[in-house]
Amino acid sequence: MGVLNDVYEMLNTCNKCGFCLTACKTYKTDLREPMSPRGRIQLIKKLADGVIEPDKDYEDAINSCLLCGECAVACPSGVRGNDLVLAARRDLKLRKGGIKPFTKSFALKTLASPSRLEHGFNLFRGVGKGILNRIDGLDYFRGVDVKGMPVAKKPFMDQVPEHITVNNPKKKVAFFVGCFLNHSLDGTAHSVVKVLTKNDCDVIIPKDQVCCGLPQYAYGDFETAKENARKTIESFLKKDIDSVVTACASCGSMLKEEYLKLFADEPNYLPRVKEFCAKVFEFSQFVEEEIELDKSKLKSHTPVKVTYHDPCHMVRHLKITSQPRQVLRSIPRLEFTEMNEANRCCGASGLVQAFYHELSTDITRQKTKNIVDSGAEVVATSCPACMLRIQGGINFAGQKQKVVHVADLLAKAYKSEN
Amino acid sequence: MISHNVLDQLKAIVGEKNVFADTISVSSYSYDATMLSGTAMATVFPVTTEQTVHLVKYLDSVNIPLVPRGAGTNLSGGTIPMENSVVVNFSRMTKILEIDTENFVAVVEPGLVNFDFQVELEKYGFYYPPDPASYKATTLGGNLGECSGGPRCFKYGVTRDYVLGLEVVLPDGQIIQTGGRNFRSEPGFDLTRILVGSEGTLGFITKIFLRILPKPAAKKTMLAIYNEVEDASQTVADIVAAGIVPTTLEMMDNILINTAEDATGAGLPRDAGALLIIEIDGHEVDMDAQVEIIAEICKKARVREFKIARTVAEVDQLWLARRVVIGSVARRRPSYSLQDVTVPRSMFPSAVKEIVKVRKDYNLDIGILAHAGDGNFHPLVLFDQRNKDEVERVHAVEKHICTMALALGGTVSGEHGIGLLKKHFIEMEFSATAMESFKKIKSAFDPNHRFNPGKIM
Amino acid sequence: MNKAMAQIKGLIGEGHVVDSVAEMAKFLRGNGKPLAVVFPGSTAEVSGLVKLANELNLKIAVGGQVVESKGLDGGLALVLSRMNKILEIDHANLVATVEPGILHAAFVTKMEEEGLNFPPEPFAVETGSVGGCFAIGDTDSKAFQYMPTRTYLLGYEMVLPTGEVLDIGNKCIKNVSGYDLIHFAVGSRGTLGIFTKLLIKLLPPPEVKYAVLADFASIHKASIAFTTLIKRNIHPTRLNLINATLAKNTFPATEGNLVMVDLEGFKASTELLAEEISSVFKLAGAKNIRIVTNADEYVKIWRAWLSLRGELNTQDVERILDINVGPMKMPPALKALEEITGDLAGYPGIVLEGLLGHIRMLLPTAAEKNQLAGKVNALAMSFGGNVSGVLGSRLVCEAYNDAEMWQGITSLINQIRKQFDPKGILAPGASL
Ligand SMILES: Cc1cc2nc3c(=O)[nH]c(=O)nc-3n(C[C@H](O)[C@H](O)[C@H](O)COP(=O)(O)OP(=O)(O)OC[C@H]3O[C@@H](n4cnc5c(N)ncnc54)[C@H](O)[C@@H]3O)c2cc1C
Ligand SMILES: Cc1cc2nc3c(=O)[nH]c(=O)nc-3n(C[C@H](O)[C@H](O)[C@H](O)COP(=O)(O)OP(=O)(O)OC[C@H]3O[C@@H](n4cnc5c(N)ncnc54)[C@H](O)[C@@H]3O)c2cc1C
Ligand code: SF4
Ligand code: SF4
């Protein structure tokens, strides 16, 4: 198979030393080899060698990976387990035309199409949540905090105009909203807009923007991913903008890095991709590097103890760790504290939380414990998927900490002076 | 293939979620950190001693051999299963049953990972000295199985020196307890010692009583950089001769300095011929005088640069480089063969010379890594498994190096064990009487060859 | 009978065989009546004797100077005093190769002269041999710092119970090749085979050796002071106590119980530690606290300790009960013990090894041993310990009502003995 051939050198480089075992949350939770990076890599290699079949157990090994990238950091031999899993998922897609069982591919298709997604959320908002509310004890469906899960009354993009202008703009910034902020955490999307406008940026929210394509990409559906990527690139590049900001670490890594890989086979289009990628900034990175935060404008009413969770895509893909902390530290009366294993995965990872929920729930439990141990009242992070996942875990554990986006805390600091 | 009946019985013993016989699961247990492989018919995860007993008794009754496994990082083929066997994973028995710092004892289950144990001990200001470079992944059961060493052996000894007692399931399903929680050894056959390092062939370890120590008050980590590997080995001999007992004397040569640097970016000098990591520990007031003596010795051996790590971060960087060095060679060539020969310390320089010569004679990349204070070498022969000619030369080198070690009065294995990989070499090392004695031990414990058959002998 | 004697004499020479009862008694311990006491001079001779014993079905027991004659009726007592040479001292590798018959105490002295350190304490100063040292495999009062005796054996040559010669081990301090027969043999008390050569690991000598002595009116206060030191992470080389009764004989000037601390290490830290220990003792109410830095005096003190230890190990062995508990559990364990024994200071003998949590009792009579053992074991178990030795293992199994485990261990041990010694020739007196 072509895909696996392309990565065969790397598969072959894994010398089975096992150094990655401890780094991998799915292994540390399940303690079986197929749930480890080494296990996954060896299975992929065996498949490539034609020794095993891509049966359901194989799919489970491959699809339960969080793509958190921790194994790549731990590997002394330079093997990138997450990339190999990605290749394996691509290979599966090519072999079988998509992920089985049906539910998984349904979820992916739903995400890929804005209208379907909206429909899904609407359904949930109306009927679904009502029904769930009535079923006793079904607060948590597969480890996801169903009752507590916020749903935007109206998608964020329907709430705001395409262009939000300020006096004397210093920059023209396009906002890549992303599915989660659009449909669920619209408040955070507003926070982003507020911070940008407070810092003299015109904000442009292209109404024709779609899902970044990561969910499909992560499960090997490169075709759909590409389609979405192309749409995204075009819808942003046709606007007159200086930068593209996203407040979702996962979207960020897709937009800024994976697009380049995705289009590596289209040399003609690649320059345009590069042009786009160069404009993309993750929110805290943008705040720290592209605008000068005027700290005198920041006020805060009540002192609060805050810790920070590094989303996998931030720390290991985008390699952004200091910027969000800087932003937090610049907020007056905010006491920053580090938790243990701040950069370890929260267990969400796209569809893993839905289809390997026991595994995922165990991983989230470890994250929750670290948060509680840190003594913080608020957990800030940079990815809506992590926010929902961690908040669910905290609620599930009967704890009180609130999970917010770095942008939320920063936006709040402007409030008093409104 | 496993019969339904056997599978059902296994499930009845350890529960549905702790038995796997699908292709994916069994092929995930077909390997360890060597290049050997074999496929079992099932893999099970006992979580209690009782389950282990039942497993052993049941499988004995149906003539199925058992292969115990921890994290499968051994370098001897010690966990490679045979077709008709069941792999018994201890990876889910991970509990720390007790940490008693007042009495220097910890009681743990065999699947506990060495690193996780150290993290827990650290909270009490304690540690467990034997920490193989692979400690982040390896289980304590596996460490006992191989009697693993680590970079601190020179002063602190190896795994066997920290095992106070064991709970063991014998091949007939009998549970015995050896030793105890107290440091004082008991007179009589030292069953604990014969079990440690027996590679799962005599008994399954289900509970371990370990000696733990408070962290030393002071520690100094030094880095000595040389132009020539021979100078580094001279330093080692001189330090030992001066009566200094460092905790650590680790050596790596130019090839490995470079691959480690690729992996970590620790700032190691890429053009150096060799480097030594030297660490001493003890009472604060004793440190400086020892450092001075060591510095003097290094200077005499034409050290190019002698550095003392100033910060914890600097120390960690050095250690990180050391710990990842074995894996890091994959950056240069995809396969490696790792030897574990050990020679008397005075023979260290001769052994280094010989390996340097072998490198030329066989025209192979060989990185030299050594727990130099112990005379324990890990020559890393780099190659590509797909290159037949190279593979042949690698085998020749392996034999050459083992023969050399034996000729210098050493052994073919200092810490990795024999397993399947070195079976052929131990007959070179031991007399017929010794081999016969090993067989007697095996027969006394496991007359039917149920536990990890074919390993060691 | 005469034929056997002739064969023996033929093997090792008439001059090296003693068979008159009176003469034999000098070399025997206990009441057994062996056929002869023999003095082999080489591995080949030992092997020849063992083969002969197999042929003639004679029991064999060995010793350095004196042999335990229990179960040896009609058998051979092998005294290895002729095999007492140091064959090699290898400074570069810090190892020595010796014959087993050399006196342990003499070997220690010789190593000191060579600028080397062999830490294990002789089991019995007068008679204990290096072969015996490893055959017994003690954990002595220096073991916290220096590790148990076992760690000092790197290899050996041994005549197996069938007469073959097993040669195993090497000068490497790390060795995991094959089964660990090397350390397994330590403590086997001559049942696995007869050591004929030993390859011994040595250490560089400490820079200084100091002692701290102190008189304590109360054993309890002393033992609490020990725990204070441990809590402060002070782990001297030895941290011992002998009770008033024993101290009176050994160190007549002592007022009450005597605490004996040994400090071997670097000068700078040793000086500091000596002071710190003294002040801890002072706070605990000790009298006559002395820091001993003078080498002669130091040697005298520890020689006295070793003699006492040797006497208890040999002459008084029938009256000895050893208990191990965790070091920090000593104070409550001693309190509880006192309820059984009455005043500890005035008891026939109490010896503490503070870092090892070892309590040694010299009982008023041997008869009391069986009576007390169960009770004392129950006490020790409640502090996470037990009575040591075979007796202890049995008692622990009994306490757990675990006949099965006891049987498991004994049958395994018997299996091993049977594998190596099918005819049951060696060490008839040793129970493991
Ligand atoms: C990169 C690298 C570096 C290494 N560095 C070192 C080093 O510095 N020092 C060193 O000594 N080793 C080193 N090793 C070797 C290896 O890590 C050790 O041998 C380790 O102790 C194996 O532990 P494990 O948990 O992986 O055991 P496994 O490999 O699973 O098992 C090891 C042996 O123990 C047996 N076993 C496992 N569990 C039990 C049990 N409960 N009861 C009875 N038998 C059992 C197995 O059958 C097998 O024979 C290294 C390996 C690698 C790959
Ligand atoms: C656990 C234990 C229980 C004891 N119980 C009793 C008792 O009930 N009654 C009693 O009177 N004494 C008893 N003793 C004391 C014993 O009999 C001796 O006094 C003690 O072993 C010291 O003897 P030694 O000084 O002559 O030493 P050594 O002559 O050095 O011998 C010590 C031990 O080592 C063995 N040994 C010596 N040399 C070799 C060799 N080269 N190869 C193999 N083995 C060798 C001996 O057989 C002996 O067991 C006991 C000792 C121990 C350790
Ligand atoms: S991926 Fe890297 S760390 Fe993991 S087993 Fe392979 S080589 Fe080792
Ligand atoms: S990417 Fe994360 S979950 Fe996937 S194998 Fe690597 S460490 Fe495990």
Side-chain angles (χ1 to χ4, degrees):
Chain A
M1 279 284 167
V3 191
L4 297 186
N5 261 347
D6 293 346
V7 294
Y8 197 84
E9 241 355 91
M10 192 185 283
L11 287 171
N12 198 42
T13 302
C14 168
N15 47 59
K16 305 185 262 58
C17 69
F19 275 34
C20 51
L21 296 183
T22 294
C24 178
K25 278 281 176 199
T26 60
Y27 176 72
K28 284 305 262 188
T29 305
D30 185 75
L31 296 168
R32 279 189 316 125
E33 188 77 15
M35 287 291 175
S36 75
R38 177 177 65 179
R40 292 183 174 115
I41 293 164
Q42 290 307 315
L43 287 174
I44 299 168
K45 180 157 183 254
K46 286 190 163 144
L47 182 66
D49 290 340
V51 184
I52 55 169
E53 289 298 313
D55 60 7
K56 177 176 169 308
D57 301 306
Y58 172 82
E59 282 189 28
D60 279 341
I62 299 306
N63 288 336
S64 57
C65 167
L66 303 163
L67 293 183
C68 65
E70 302 225 26
C71 46
V73 177
C75 177
S77 312
V79 175
R80 293 188 305 278
N82 49 322
D83 284 356
L84 293 172
V85 167
L86 202 56
R89 288 185 184 175
R90 171 69 181 152
D91 168 72
L92 272 180
K93 157 81 184 166
L94 292 178
R95 279 171 203 261
K96 305 205 161 177
I99 312 176
K100 308 277 181 313
F102 163 71
T103 35
K104 267 181 233 176
S105 54
F106 175 73
L108 288 177
K109 280 189 198 129
T110 309
L111 278 175
S113 135
S115 64
R116 261 168 110 165
L117 185 63
E118 202 177 321
H119 183 70
F121 265 96
N122 275 332
L123 193 74
F124 182 59
R125 186 158 44 225
V127 196
K129 224 179 163 184
I131 293 175
L132 291 177
N133 268 335
R134 269 182 268 129
I135 304 174
D136 254 6
L138 220 165
D139 293 358
Y140 300 93
F141 177 63
R142 303 190 141 174
V144 179
D145 177 8
V146 179
K147 263 192 201 167
M149 175 137 151
V151 180
K153 290 225 170 58
K154 193 154 97 166
F156 170 75
M157 286 207 281
D158 294 349
Q159 301 174 32
V160 290
E162 188 156 35
H163 290 259
I164 301 169
T165 49
V166 295
N167 298 331
N168 306 323
K170 289 190 187 140
K171 281 199 158 65
K172 279 178 272 183
V173 183
F175 180 21
F176 181 89
V177 182
C179 309
F180 273 108
L181 294 195
N182 192 27
H183 293 288
S184 176
L185 298 166
D186 55 331
T188 300
H190 285 294
S191 297
V192 173
V193 172
K194 180 166 176 183
V195 171
L196 292 175
T197 50
K198 287 283 176 195
N199 287 285
D200 308 318
C201 299
D202 270 349
V203 181
I204 298 110
I205 305 163
K207 286 292 158 91
D208 55 350
Q209 60 177 289
V210 294
C211 171
C212 65
L214 177 61
Q216 299 76 28
Y217 180 68
Y219 282 90
D221 181 0
F222 287 14
E223 289 74 17
T224 315
K226 246 185 188 175
E227 213 173 286
N228 278 24
R230 215 183 298 269
K231 276 188 202 155
T232 305
I233 292 169
E234 291 311 321
S235 74
F236 279 81
L237 284 188
K238 74 180 181 231
K239 303 275 179 197
D240 170 25
I241 49 166
D242 301 316
S243 336
V244 178
V245 166
T246 172
C248 171
S250 305
C251 300
S253 79
M254 184 70 182
L255 302 177
K256 197 156 180 61
E257 294 185 338
E258 303 305 313
Y259 278 11
L260 292 170
K261 293 185 199 159
L262 199 55
F263 288 102
D265 58 350
E266 287 188 37
N268 292 335
Y269 190 59
L270 205 53
R272 199 147 169 87
V273 181
K274 282 186 179 151
E275 185 190 346
F276 173 77
C277 292
K279 287 186 194 284
V280 176
F281 291 90
E282 187 280 327
F283 173 78
S284 63
Q285 182 191 26
F286 185 77
V287 171
E288 279 300 309
E289 293 169 9
E290 295 295 304
I291 53 183
E292 264 170 56
L293 208 55
D294 182 354
K295 293 196 180 136
S296 66
K297 285 195 200 159
L298 298 174
K299 296 203 181 68
S300 174
H301 290 298
T302 37
V304 61
K305 195 166 173 184
V306 178
T307 188
Y308 180 75
H309 160 75
D310 295 281
C312 297
H313 283 115
M314 281 288 269
V315 53
R316 279 172 293 272
H317 291 245
L318 294 168
K319 302 203 168 50
I320 300 175
T321 53
S322 65
Q323 294 90 332
R325 289 174 170 79
Q326 294 287 342
V327 172
L328 292 174
R329 283 182 207 278
S330 61
I331 299 174
R333 300 178 77 184
L334 182 151
E335 184 195 340
F336 182 74
T337 179
E338 286 286 355
M339 68 169 116
N340 278 336
E341 303 196 324
N343 62 10
R344 304 297 302 264
C345 183
C346 69
S349 183
L351 294 176
V352 172
Q353 58 184 329
F355 296 103
Y356 302 93
H357 51 93
E358 282 178 29
L359 182 74
S360 164
T361 304
D362 270 347
I363 296 172
T364 311
R365 200 174 292 134
Q366 297 161 34
K367 179 54 78 180
T368 307
K369 181 175 180 303
N370 284 326
I371 290 169
V372 173
D373 290 350
S374 76
E377 304 147 75
V378 169
V379 187
T381 186
S382 304
C383 178
C386 302
M387 287 169 70
L388 292 172
R389 182 77 204 168
I390 297 173
Q391 189 69 65
I394 290 172
N395 298 350
F396 191 54
Q399 298 287 341
K400 290 193 287 286
Q401 293 79 0
K402 285 281 157 270
V403 187
V404 299
H405 197 284
V406 172
D408 294 327
L409 285 174
L410 187 54
K412 209 170 151 202
Y414 286 105
K415 217 166 232 169
S416 50
E417 165 251 19
N418 237 352
Chain B
M1 272 304 278
I2 190 162
S3 80
H4 281 297
N5 186 23
V6 173
L7 199 57
D8 290 345
Q9 291 291 334
L10 292 177
K11 284 181 179 166
I13 294 170
V14 292
E16 193 92 22
K17 287 190 171 171
N18 287 319
V19 182
F20 299 86
D22 59 277
T23 322
I24 294 305
S25 293
V26 293
S27 47
S28 292
Y29 290 95
S30 61
Y31 52 80
D32 49 28
T34 63
M35 277 184 282
L36 305 174
S37 79
T39 311
M41 58 192 211
T43 152
V44 296
F45 297 78
V47 292
T48 64
T49 306
E50 284 67 42
Q51 289 183 356
T52 312
V53 168
H54 288 140
L55 276 174
V56 167
K57 283 190 176 161
Y58 170 67
L59 290 171
D60 184 46
S61 74
V62 288
N63 291 335
I64 295 175
L66 300 82
V67 180
R69 188 177 187 279
T73 72
N74 72 83
L75 291 162
S76 62
T79 49
I80 301 299
M82 37 266 131
E83 241 170 59
N84 60 344
S85 66
V86 167
V87 175
V88 181
N89 288 280
F90 288 96
S91 63
R92 286 181 171 171
M93 286 179 76
T94 58
K95 285 198 275 300
I96 298 178
L97 301 170
E98 191 185 340
I99 290 181
D100 177 358
T101 54
E102 293 201 321
N103 300 299
F104 311 101
V105 186
V107 188
V108 304
E109 290 186 338
L112 178 65
V113 168
N114 187 310
F115 174 75
D116 294 343
F117 182 44
Q118 306 280 8
V119 168
E120 206 48 39
L121 289 174
E122 172 100 38
K123 294 181 186 160
Y124 302 85
F126 269 63
Y127 77 119
Y128 167 69
D131 56 342
S134 51
Y135 80 136
K136 280 208 170 175
T138 63
T139 64
L140 289 161
N143 291 172
L144 264 69
E146 304 291 3
C147 185
S148 294
R152 287 193 273 236
C153 300
F154 188 40
K155 178 166 175 182
Y156 287 102
V158 295
T159 297
R160 84 167 71 84
D161 300 319
Y162 291 84
V163 182
L164 301 173
L166 298 171
E167 178 188 81
V168 179
V169 178
L170 297 176
D172 60 359
Q174 175 74 49
I175 308 174
I176 60 165
Q177 180 145 359
T178 72
R181 49 182 301 131
N182 292 306
F183 183 44
R184 226 167 189 284
S185 63
E186 298 285 341
F189 281 151
D190 197 338
L191 293 175
T192 312
R193 248 39 68 179
I194 199 82
L195 283 156
V196 173
S198 67
E199 306 188 19
T201 60
L202 303 181
F204 289 179
I205 298 162
T206 49
K207 198 197 280 182
I208 315 172
F209 297 80
L210 292 172
R211 184 179 191 221
I212 54 174
L213 293 179
K215 295 185 86 174
K219 183 167 88 174
K220 285 268 186 256
T221 310
M222 292 152 267
L223 177 67
I225 298 163
Y226 298 84
N227 287 328
E228 304 297 334
V229 61
E230 287 83 357
D231 292 339
S233 72
Q234 192 53 49
T235 304
V236 173
D238 292 348
I239 288 178
V240 177
I244 292 181
V245 183
T247 50
T248 296
L249 257 178
E250 300 282 296
M251 189 182 91
M252 44 176 131
D253 73 351
N254 176 273
I255 294 181
L256 300 181
I257 290 172
N258 277 286
T259 56
E261 187 58 20
D262 290 342
T264 63
L268 303 177
R270 287 183 181 275
D271 62 336
L275 64 78
L276 284 176
I277 300 175
I278 308 167
E279 195 166 281
I280 54 169
D281 71 4
H283 201 291
E284 189 71 58
V285 297
D286 298 331
M287 293 293 106
D288 289 348
Q290 290 181 69
V291 169
E292 228 165 85
I293 298 171
I294 293 171
E296 210 42 55
I297 290 171
C298 291
K299 213 185 287 165
K300 229 181 59 202
R302 290 176 297 188
V303 70
R304 180 172 106 186
E305 204 182 336
F306 180 81
K307 283 200 279 201
I308 304 166
R310 303 273 163 208
T311 62
V312 179
E314 273 178 41
V315 173
D316 288 349
Q317 275 293 312
L318 276 181
W319 276 114
L320 180 67
R322 166 60 190 88
R323 288 199 193 277
V324 305
V325 69
I326 293 180
S328 72
V329 299
R331 289 165 188 266
R332 195 180 261 228
R333 300 299 304 281
S335 324
Y336 63 76
S337 147
L338 179 67
Q339 294 304 301
D340 179 34
V341 296
T342 307
V343 300
R345 289 178 284 216
S346 63
M347 296 299 167
F348 190 79
S350 323
V352 170
K353 267 196 207 113
E354 184 66 23
I355 297 172
V356 171
K357 184 170 172 291
V358 165
R359 182 150 70 195
K360 285 205 198 85
D361 291 354
Y362 290 85
N363 185 27
L364 282 167
D365 260 359
I366 306 180
I368 306 176
L369 173 70
H371 306 294
D374 315 335
N376 186 192
F377 282 92
H378 298 316
L380 278 142
V381 191
L382 313 190
F383 64 106
D384 190 331
Q385 206 176 352
R386 292 162 292 194
N387 181 334
K388 289 263 149 44
D389 164 59
E390 239 180 5
V391 172
E392 232 147 75
R393 272 181 291 142
V394 171
H395 288 318
V397 165
E398 284 165 353
K399 182 147 189 208
H400 190 124
I401 289 176
C402 286
T403 314
M404 165 203 80
L406 294 176
L408 293 175
T411 170
V412 300
S413 183
E415 57 178 15
H416 293 165
I418 301 300
L420 292 174
L421 208 58
K422 275 165 270 178
K423 264 166 77 168
H424 316 293
F425 295 128
I426 71 165
E427 292 187 6
M428 289 161 44
E429 178 166 349
F430 294 101
S431 65
T433 312
M435 293 303 290
E436 200 50 45
S437 299
F438 293 161
K439 283 195 189 116
K440 287 175 183 165
I441 292 287
K442 175 74 175 171
S443 307
F445 279 84
D446 186 16
N448 301 327
H449 292 257
R450 273 307 172 248
F451 279 13
N452 218 357
K455 308 293 156 57
I456 302 183
M457 286 179 307
Chain C
M1 199 61 96
N2 282 339
K3 195 178 148 220
M5 281 306 284
Q7 276 178 295
I8 292 163
K9 287 179 179 166
L11 257 174
I12 63 169
E14 193 152 356
H16 301 306
V17 179
V18 169
D19 54 359
S20 86
V21 175
E23 193 60 13
M24 284 201 297
K26 292 186 196 159
F27 303 103
L28 296 175
R29 203 178 270 122
N31 312 319
K33 297 190 174 37
L35 173 66
V37 175
V38 295
F39 300 81
S42 69
T43 307
E45 289 183 4
V46 174
S47 163
L49 286 168
V50 173
K51 282 186 180 148
L52 187 65
N54 269 285
E55 254 169 59
L56 306 176
N57 232 334
L58 306 177
K59 305 277 183 211
I60 287 190
V62 288
Q65 304 286 319
V66 184
V67 176
E68 169 66 54
S69 64
K70 195 168 144 198
L72 201 59
D73 290 353
L76 299 179
L78 266 63
V79 173
L80 300 180
S81 52
R82 286 174 63 212
M83 294 176 70
N84 64 352
K85 283 179 281 304
I86 296 178
L87 301 171
E88 188 197 12
I89 301 174
D90 178 348
H91 285 267
N93 290 306
L94 294 171
V95 297
T97 311
V98 304
E99 289 185 329
I102 183 170
L103 275 181
H104 182 155
F107 178 63
V108 172
T109 313
K110 177 75 186 156
M111 289 303 103
E112 271 167 11
E113 287 165 17
E114 292 277 339
L116 295 163
N117 183 10
F118 179 62
E121 295 180 330
F123 193 76
V125 184
E126 307 289 327
T127 55
S129 63
V130 171
C133 164
F134 289 104
I136 293 171
D138 203 7
T139 307
D140 57 57
S141 71
K142 286 182 186 173
F144 190 93
Q145 173 170 336
Y146 288 119
M147 310 291 281
T149 299
R150 173 204 334 126
T151 31
Y152 292 90
L153 189 62
L154 293 177
Y156 55 74
E157 179 189 81
M158 175 186 265
V159 173
L160 295 177
T162 43
E164 290 121 321
V165 179
L166 170 65
D167 197 342
I168 197 162
N170 52 53
K171 290 181 178 175
C172 305
I173 60 168
K174 256 159 103 188
N175 178 8
V176 298
S177 197
Y179 288 122
D180 187 3
L181 282 178
I182 300 165
H183 299 100
F184 179 61
V186 178
S188 63
R189 299 199 59 218
T191 58
L192 201 64
I194 300 167
F195 291 123
T196 47
K197 244 183 237 168
L198 299 135
L199 179 59
I200 294 173
K201 174 179 138 175
L202 302 163
L203 294 177
E207 193 180 355
V208 295
K209 295 184 186 183
Y210 291 174
V212 181
L213 300 183
D215 298 350
F216 275 83
S218 152
I219 286 192
H220 301 292
K221 287 218 169 116
S223 115
I224 291 169
F226 286 3
T227 61
T228 308
L229 293 177
I230 294 172
K231 274 192 211 143
R232 289 198 188 182
N233 275 348
I234 298 174
H235 312 121
T237 309
R238 292 173 170 112
L239 184 59
N240 300 350
L241 173 146
I242 54 181
N243 78 339
T245 317
L246 294 174
K248 221 173 288 157
N249 295 329
T250 320
F251 297 92
T254 312
E255 295 178 52
N257 308 287
L258 179 68
V259 164
M260 309 174 68
V261 182
D262 181 16
L263 288 165
E264 304 184 4
F266 290 98
K267 189 157 187 273
S269 58
T270 304
E271 277 170 357
L272 279 180
L273 289 175
E275 289 300 336
E276 205 172 337
I277 292 167
S278 304
S279 48
V280 167
F281 287 171
K282 197 161 173 197
L283 271 175
K287 278 197 252 165
N288 302 327
I289 303 167
R290 291 87 80 194
I291 297 178
V292 178
T293 56
N294 175 288
D296 291 339
E297 214 181 316
Y298 173 94
V299 168
K300 249 191 3 228
I301 290 165
W302 294 109
R303 200 172 283 153
W305 157 260
L306 290 177
S307 310
L308 171 64
R309 175 182 141 87
E311 262 169 53
L312 297 176
N313 276 343
T314 53
Q315 271 116 283
D316 300 324
V317 65
E318 307 278 340
R319 283 165 58 204
I320 291 290
L321 201 54
D322 285 310
I323 318 166
N324 295 314
V325 295
M328 294 297 277
K329 305 256 166 78
M330 291 265 264
L334 288 167
K335 277 266 182 241
L337 191 62
E338 198 159 46
E339 311 220 326
I340 301 177
T341 60
D343 177 34
L344 289 175
Y347 202 66
I350 294 287
V351 179
L352 307 183
E353 292 172 4
L355 286 168
L356 302 173
H358 181 63
I359 304 171
R360 170 163 264 203
M361 304 166 66
L362 177 63
L363 309 176
T365 63
E368 221 158 289
K369 191 162 177 168
N370 282 337
Q371 229 175 299
L372 263 185
K375 238 197 238 174
V376 170
N377 188 56
L379 177 155
M381 283 179 71
S382 72
F383 294 102
N386 57 272
V387 163
S388 69
V390 189
L391 176 62
S393 320
R394 204 189 68 224
L395 290 169
V396 170
C397 287
E398 273 172 23
Y400 283 128
N401 208 356
D402 204 342
E404 208 185 329
M405 185 181 298
W406 176 243
Q407 204 223 318
I409 296 177
T410 43
S411 79
L412 179 61
I413 287 173
N414 289 338
Q415 256 311 314
I416 297 171
R417 274 185 93 163
K418 211 157 94 198
Q419 285 287 339
F420 282 86
D421 189 0
K423 288 198 170 170
I425 298 293
L426 282 194
S431 59
L432 294 171

